[in-house]
Amino acid sequence: MRPVGPVKAVLFDRDGTLVHDVPYNGDPERVRPVEGAREAVALLRARDIRVGVVTNQSGVARGLISGTDVRRVNRRIDDLLGPFDVWAICPHGPDDGCHCRKPQPGLVLWAAGRVCTDPADCVVVGDIGADTEAAARAGAHGILVPNARTRPEETEAAAHTAPDLLTAVRSLLDDPAPDGPALDGPALDGPAPDGPAPDGPAPDGPAPDGPAPDGPAPDAPHDGGACSGQRPATTAPAPSGGAPDPCRRPS
């Protein structure tokens, strides 16, 4: 796998990474960004790096929250930290056999395609092993930011770790964190973490713009967040009829 050049997109896990984890949260008023989240995302935008969110929301499949609840919470996060360039949501449960639920690579591949970026130029930041495993399977790089729910073995297995979100982002930008430790693990211009090769045949499933496979439609906010194991083309067709070009960053 070719080395990573300048990072072009950073995809964040949602609960426990960008905002404090409230299990199956459907209430926007309970959204609380983690310390340093606003500054971390702002630093990336200032460097013209695309930012997105890749999140498992199995509460939809479990009947605990609705797609509308997910949309409302995500809009609140956009209000506080955003707007993000892409949202990718998996509404399935762990036994649904979908191709999008992390640690499967579908969300990462879909989000990378949505922002017209090769996965090898993307970094996924999350708080559990499923986040970094999804990154590796997609051919992206992963950074683990452990918290109270991160298992010790997940931290030990992670190729790259950071003590907090802001340190992780500063390390990507080569901005030393004041009075903070450097990113643990090998430099990100080395090979991607070990994981299944991403260049095999695409798993069966509907096209990215179709309904989510094997489960309820995600009812996703903003960019649609449809989840599929197939990677969409990273080069969008030329816009017609005044439609926006998804590969062009909004001014």
Side-chain angles (χ1 to χ4, degrees), residues 118-189:
D118 192 288
D121 297 324
C122 295
V123 175
V124 178
V125 182
D127 65 323
I128 61 173
D131 300 315
T132 54
E133 184 177 345
R137 290 186 178 190
H141 293 264
I143 299 178
L144 187 74
V145 180
N147 57 30
R149 73 172 186 148
T150 311
R151 296 195 301 267
E153 58 267 28
E154 293 175 325
T155 303
E156 293 171 4
H160 310 287
T161 63
D164 56 67
L165 192 64
L166 185 55
T167 299
V169 167
R170 285 186 179 276
S171 299
L172 293 175
L173 301 176
D174 296 323
D175 288 343
D179 303 321
L183 184 72
D184 293 330
L188 285 179
D189 58 359

Side-chain angles (χ1 to χ4, degrees), residues 14-241:
R14 195 188 83 173
D15 304 315
T17 300
L18 278 177
V19 298
H20 290 285
D21 186 18
V22 178
Y24 310 120
N25 183 28
D27 182 359
E29 295 303 316
R30 301 184 71 187
V31 172
R32 296 290 183 272
V34 302
E35 185 176 357
R38 291 183 181 87
E39 184 177 353
V41 177
L43 283 173
L44 294 169
R45 291 195 183 100
R47 300 291 186 92
D48 204 34
I49 294 172
R50 309 301 290 269
V51 290
V53 182
V54 288
T55 176
N56 291 348
Q57 294 297 322
S58 67
V60 177
R62 301 174 196 267
L64 301 173
I65 54 175
S66 68
T68 299
D69 293 330
V70 174
R71 180 190 299 114
R72 291 171 63 235
V73 168
N74 291 346
R75 282 180 174 166
R76 177 60 175 166
I77 295 171
D78 260 355
D79 289 343
L80 295 172
L81 303 176
F84 287 89
D85 296 305
V86 61
W87 284 87
I89 301 106
C90 173
H92 302 115
D95 299 323
D96 287 344
C98 71
H99 302 302
C100 46
R101 178 178 169 83
K102 296 177 291 185
Q104 296 298 322
L107 289 184
V108 176
L109 292 172
W110 189 90
R114 190 70 175 180
V115 295
C116 307
T117 301
D118 192 288
D121 297 324
C122 295
V123 175
V124 178
V125 182
D127 65 323
I128 61 173
D131 300 315
T132 54
E133 184 177 345
R137 290 186 178 190
H141 293 264
I143 299 178
L144 187 74
V145 180
N147 57 30
R149 73 172 186 148
T150 311
R151 296 195 301 267
E153 58 267 28
E154 293 175 325
T155 303
E156 293 171 4
H160 310 287
T161 63
D164 56 67
L165 192 64
L166 185 55
T167 299
V169 167
R170 285 186 179 276
S171 299
L172 293 175
L173 301 176
D174 296 323
D175 288 343
D179 303 321
L183 184 72
D184 293 330
L188 285 179
D189 58 359
D194 293 337
D199 54 357
D204 293 335
D209 290 334
D214 305 322
D219 193 20
H222 312 305
D223 281 328
C227 45
S228 169
Q230 295 176 327
R231 181 185 172 195
T234 56
T235 302
S240 59

